[in-house]
Amino acid sequence: MGAFIIAVDGPAAAGKGTLARRLATELHLAHLDTGALYRATARDVLAAGLDPADAAGAAELAGKLDPASLADPGLRGEEIGRVASIVSVHPAVRTALLDYQRNFAYHPPNEAKGAVLDGRDIGTVICPEATVKLFVTASLEARAGRRLRELETSGAPADAAAVLADLQARDERDSKRSAAPLKVATDAVLLDTSGLDADEAFGAAMSIVRARTRSFGSSQA
Ligand code: CDP
């Protein structure tokens, strides 16, 4: 308790990552993209030639993740995202990654006074006592459009119908799994970014953070 934690949860391509990074910079907090942990596990599962359905194998690799490898730009690929949503279904994988996430939140690096974590289960499972919980969402079409532009910018081959189908499949897997499914925490504030650009989403998120921290009597934001 006592740490200043912002939980940013939501479905794939809702703009959580960009938003979480900007909040962290603005408020001088550390930032952890927890999706990178599942993506890195997926990368290591693929590299080891394991079946993503092999829970014990994936959990063993998750437990051995090298945090230095989380910055790997290769993690953003679509295939890795798809496999990440398969390995993340295994409770043993989630358990293997729990301590790293909690430790980051409660003992942020570089003496930061708190942390912003983005993912699917930050407000519900990882940090249920987070100071502010945002659930960032957008329509399937808006999210597919953003993911398509992201892929095009990175020079990766992109097919609109395939991107939409992939997001739909991931939404379904992330929401229906029994371990830490994607859902809105009861005390989260919903932020629909469908009609907002990145600056507008950031402005809306800052207003929510400010209102929330005022009601907590904190001077930190
Ligand atoms: O960036 P994008 O929204 O596409 O996904 P991500 O945040 O990088 O997460 C990739 C996958 O990891 C998700 O589809 C989830 O299945 C899983 N994940 C999770 O289960 N729990 C988290 N806290 C973060 C990601």
Side-chain angles (χ1 to χ4, degrees), residues 171-217:
D171 283 357
E172 170 105 1
R173 256 197 306 273
D174 290 351
S175 311
K176 300 245 166 94
R177 68 182 177 218
S178 54
L182 172 68
K183 64 172 186 217
V184 189
T186 46
D187 49 352
V189 181
L190 202 72
L191 177 57
D192 187 330
T193 65
S194 303
L196 307 180
D197 65 22
D199 286 345
E200 290 166 336
F202 175 63
M206 277 303 291
S207 303
I208 294 166
V209 171
R210 291 219 159 92
R212 198 76 179 170
T213 45
R214 256 197 308 274
S215 71
F216 270 85

Side-chain angles (χ1 to χ4, degrees), residues 10-16 136-138 143 146-147 193:
K16 305 179 300 293
V136 181
T137 188
R143 292 188 285 124
R146 284 178 198 158
R147 184 48 52 90
T193 65

Side-chain angles (χ1 to χ4, degrees), residues 157-172:
D159 173 74
V163 166
L164 195 100
D166 176 67
L167 280 183
Q168 231 162 355
R170 283 220 273 147
D171 283 357
E172 170 105 1

Side-chain angles (χ1 to χ4, degrees), residues 44-51:
D44 295 352
V45 161
L46 291 172
L50 291 182
D51 180 350

